[in-house]
């Protein structure tokens, strides 16, 4: 038996796909760029935002990438969080696991911790390792 189990957050414990896409597209629109389609963007969820953004921001505008990423994160805190849900059965499963549990995510702590607090399973995770 394992002593510990480490989970990812987005797409593993939480259904955040629509929230992430909406927040990213909001950030792109705010900077005058076209939206990303779900087909283009969803496969990139889990890749750090700073690595995703260059694929949707024209090369000559790459100086705006930090601003696009900041706008995405701000939107997630003010609007996207409300769209995130825990997958059915996750909480019941977590409550039955005898091992120590942790989370490893490419999200920064400024977004990962509020997501966990919003969806409630934070109480099961004494260890949360974020990108920062």
């Amino acid at each position: 038996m394992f002593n510990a189990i480490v989970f990812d957050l987005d797409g593993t414990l939480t259904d955040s796909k629509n929230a992430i896409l909406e927040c990213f597209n909001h950030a792109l629109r705010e900077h005058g760029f076209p939206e990303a389609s779900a087909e283009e963007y969803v496969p990139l969820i889990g890749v750090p935002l700073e690595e995703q953004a260059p694929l949707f921001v024209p090369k000559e505008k790459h100086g705006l990438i930090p601003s696009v990423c900041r706008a995405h994160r701000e939107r997630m805190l003010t609007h996207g969080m409300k769209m995130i849900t825990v997958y059915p059965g996750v909480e019941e499963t977590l409550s039955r696991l005898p091992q120590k549990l942790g989370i490893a995510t490419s999200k920064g702590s400024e977004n990962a911790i509020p997501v966990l607090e919003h969806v409630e399973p934070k109480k099961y995770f004494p260890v949360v390792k974020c990108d920062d």
Side-chain angles (χ1 to χ4, degrees), residues 95-112:
S95 71
R96 293 180 177 190
L97 293 173
Q99 295 90 345
K100 294 178 185 173
L101 304 177
I103 288 181
T105 179
S106 64
K107 279 186 180 303
S109 58
E110 77 279 0
N111 280 98

Side-chain angles (χ1 to χ4, degrees), residues 67-89:
S67 180
V68 169
C69 293
R70 189 170 39 259
H72 168 85
R73 290 183 177 111
E74 289 170 1
R75 179 75 173 185
M76 182 60 75
L77 290 173
T78 60
H79 291 83
M81 209 69 65
K82 299 169 192 149
M83 300 171 68
I84 297 172
T85 59
V86 175
Y87 285 117

